[in-house]
Amino acid sequence: MSVPYNPFEPLNLPLFKDLIRNKTCYLVVQRLQWPGIAEKKGFIATPYQQQKPAKEHAQTLSVSEGRLINLQSEMEKILGLIDSTKYLLYLNTFTDPDWEDKVLKYYQKNILSNLNLNETTKALKELGIEYSFRFGKLMVTIQTEESIKEFFLFELIK
């Protein structure tokens, strides 16, 4: 059995200090679903310098999914998550420049199966796949000759 590939950047103290130096005042922290991360143990943080887009993001979340954290008054909460051995905290960034290709490599069978396709890896790459973060969730847009569809990536790789 192979270890699941996780492209997200762990949020550690040096990275958190960089966010503060860059005047990030708000983090929307929400549950992260990804292979290899135990349910309710992983979180992903989306940084914002302005309150309005942070609030808009937070309003898309259910109460149990996550919330907006104002770093000026609640910095200890994030530091507690960073230091925790019970939870995993990631930033919605990637350190590996080849993360997109690796996601396809590691999860191609799941993606093909969930899309009900009998394609080869080469054909899967040729479909036209674009990744984007939307409100803290990694989304994938897949374009075929017939249609363009958007999916929450976790739903295709689980």
Side-chain angles (χ1 to χ4, degrees):
M1 181 175 157
S2 66
V3 175
Y5 175 69
N6 182 340
F8 304 109
E9 185 168 21
L11 183 53
N12 56 27
L13 195 54
L15 190 54
F16 182 69
K17 287 180 180 178
D18 285 344
L19 290 173
I20 300 300
R21 275 193 287 275
N22 290 327
K23 301 190 185 327
T24 299
C25 298
Y26 306 98
L27 283 181
V28 175
V29 178
Q30 65 195 87
R31 295 202 183 278
L32 173 64
Q33 294 178 295
W34 196 262
I37 297 177
E39 190 174 340
K40 299 182 181 180
K41 299 295 181 188
F43 295 89
I44 193 156
T46 304
Y48 293 94
Q49 293 179 336
Q50 298 176 356
Q51 187 177 29
K52 183 179 179 183
K55 277 187 171 182
E56 288 173 0
H57 177 165
Q59 289 172 348
T60 68
L61 305 175
S62 67
V63 176
S64 62
E65 187 180 1
R67 72 181 196 86
L68 171 62
I69 295 180
N70 182 332
L71 293 177
Q72 295 172 338
S73 60
E74 300 179 279
M75 190 178 298
E76 311 79 41
K77 291 191 188 293
I78 295 299
L79 293 173
L81 278 173
I82 289 172
D83 291 337
S84 175
T85 56
K86 281 178 53 175
Y87 301 105
L88 299 169
L89 181 61
Y90 298 91
L91 194 61
N92 71 347
T93 56
F94 310 98
T95 55
D96 184 352
D98 298 323
W99 71 270
E100 293 173 341
D101 290 336
K102 288 181 180 176
V103 164
L104 284 179
K105 176 184 171 192
Y106 281 86
Y107 301 113
Q108 68 183 352
K109 289 180 185 176
N110 301 48
I111 293 170
L112 291 171
S113 173
N114 286 315
L115 290 174
N116 296 317
L117 295 174
N118 283 327
E119 307 271 348
T120 64
T121 307
K122 183 178 178 185
L124 184 60
K125 286 182 181 180
E126 291 172 1
L127 283 177
I129 297 176
E130 292 183 28
Y131 300 93
S132 62
F133 264 107
R134 184 164 310 123
F135 297 122
K137 292 184 179 180
L138 186 54
M139 305 300 291
V140 61
T141 303
I142 299 176
Q143 182 173 349
T144 64
E145 290 179 5
E146 298 85 34
S147 65
I148 298 175
K149 295 181 181 177
E150 185 175 64
F151 304 91
F152 173 34
L153 183 59
F154 179 73
E155 294 299 321
L156 293 179
I157 64 173
K158 66 178 181 177

